[in-house]
Amino acid sequence: MDRVSVRAGAGVRSVARIVARDDGRGGTSLPVLESDGPLALRRTRATGSEARVMLVGAMSGPLGGDHFTVKGRVEEGARLSVGSAAATIALPGQAKGDARYDVRLEVADGGELRWLPEQLISAQGSDLHVSTRVELATTARLVLREEQVLGRAGEESGRLTSRLTVRVAGQAVLDQELACGPGAPGGWDGPAVLAGHRAVGQLIVVRPDFATTPVTAGVLGEGASVVPLAGPAALVTAVAPDALGLRRLLDEALASLSQP
């Protein structure tokens, strides 16, 4: 198990690790499933050859000064789906400084990862930096969803900075950053970014067949669009008035990209 250190004025440090491996019998084993403190990992009922893991928030947070890290590796031929039991809420804390939430994912050749957590809510007064980095081998497959909601009902947003980087065979197919809320660079709420909406999300799908048959860029309903990336990948970006509307847009987009 990873140790969590709690130091006065410095917040909480927590690391969770997942390793998925082909078990040689048509399924996927989880030889590493380690977590404690604010991050709790639970294996749930598998479906076919896919192992499923749920990330459960065992404590409030991340709060100011906290640093959470999730590391996942899908080995050759394994299939893994990761979700979360509830939304993550970034809150202000007693410790000084911002909070950090880092996600580091690797998928080997022939492996498949579905990373589908619930929404991240930026509560008023919070300051959170989220960094997600994904390294994929040439024939790896990925479905990754990110959803951010600015403020709980009836409150202003905290400050949220989110960076997503995806590399396939060592080449970057996506590297983008979005900053929202108090203190963020001007224009984040303007017509070129959120246009007054409170929920923003993206869906990235990586499949080897996209290298020869890329998706067609276009609009996917009101508030969503899809574009092919420079590699075997497609990116859906969506904005909506609330979390429910955002989820609907991204679910519809994923269904359309899953069709042959």
Side-chain angles (χ1 to χ4, degrees):
M1 299 284 285
D2 293 301
R3 297 182 65 185
V4 176
S5 64
V6 184
R7 297 177 295 172
V12 175
R13 304 293 182 268
S14 183
V15 180
R17 292 185 173 91
I18 311 168
V19 174
R21 180 175 298 163
D22 184 348
D23 66 7
R25 303 187 302 273
T28 298
S29 64
L30 298 172
V32 178
L33 194 65
E34 300 176 346
S35 61
D36 59 11
L39 300 174
L41 296 173
R42 300 287 183 264
R43 181 166 188 163
T44 60
R45 185 181 297 275
T47 300
S49 61
E50 180 184 78
R52 292 188 171 185
V53 172
M54 192 69 67
L55 183 60
V56 180
M59 296 169 59
S60 297
L63 310 178
D66 290 351
H67 190 172
F68 297 173
T69 303
V70 180
K71 298 181 179 181
R73 186 171 81 248
V74 180
E75 297 184 353
E76 188 170 347
R79 299 182 63 209
L80 174 66
S81 177
V82 180
S84 59
T88 297
I89 304 178
L91 297 165
Q94 295 182 348
K96 294 182 179 180
D98 57 7
R100 298 195 61 88
Y101 200 130
D102 296 329
V103 178
R104 302 291 180 258
L105 306 171
E106 302 175 30
V107 186
D109 276 317
E112 180 175 342
L113 172 63
R114 294 171 60 85
W115 190 266
L116 301 169
E118 295 300 308
Q119 297 90 354
L120 169 63
I121 300 173
S122 177
Q124 186 173 13
S126 64
D127 188 355
L128 176 64
H129 288 250
V130 180
S131 172
T132 302
R133 291 208 307 259
V134 188
E135 294 283 346
L136 303 169
T138 302
T139 60
R141 299 167 69 95
L142 172 73
V143 175
L144 183 146
R145 181 182 68 211
E146 284 192 342
E147 299 171 307
Q148 287 118 19
V149 180
L150 304 181
R152 293 170 292 190
E155 74 173 11
E156 297 296 322
S157 171
R159 178 166 180 173
L160 176 63
T161 303
S162 176
R163 183 173 182 179
L164 173 60
T165 305
V166 179
R167 293 164 60 89
V168 179
Q171 301 297 314
V173 299
L174 179 67
D175 189 349
Q176 69 177 27
E177 183 173 285
L178 176 65
C180 305
W188 65 269
D189 199 27
V193 188
L194 297 188
H197 291 93
R198 290 172 54 88
V200 57
Q202 53 196 352
L203 177 75
I204 182 166
V205 179
V206 180
R207 292 191 346 216
D209 58 291
F210 283 170
T212 54
T213 310
V215 303
T216 301
V219 175
L220 300 175
E222 185 176 355
S225 63
V226 59
V227 294
L229 300 176
L235 173 68
V236 176
T237 303
V239 293
D242 54 35
L244 289 176
L246 179 65
R247 176 63 59 85
R248 178 182 56 79
L249 288 171
L250 294 180
D251 282 351
E252 291 174 355
L254 180 56
S256 69
L257 291 174
S258 300
Q259 295 175 359

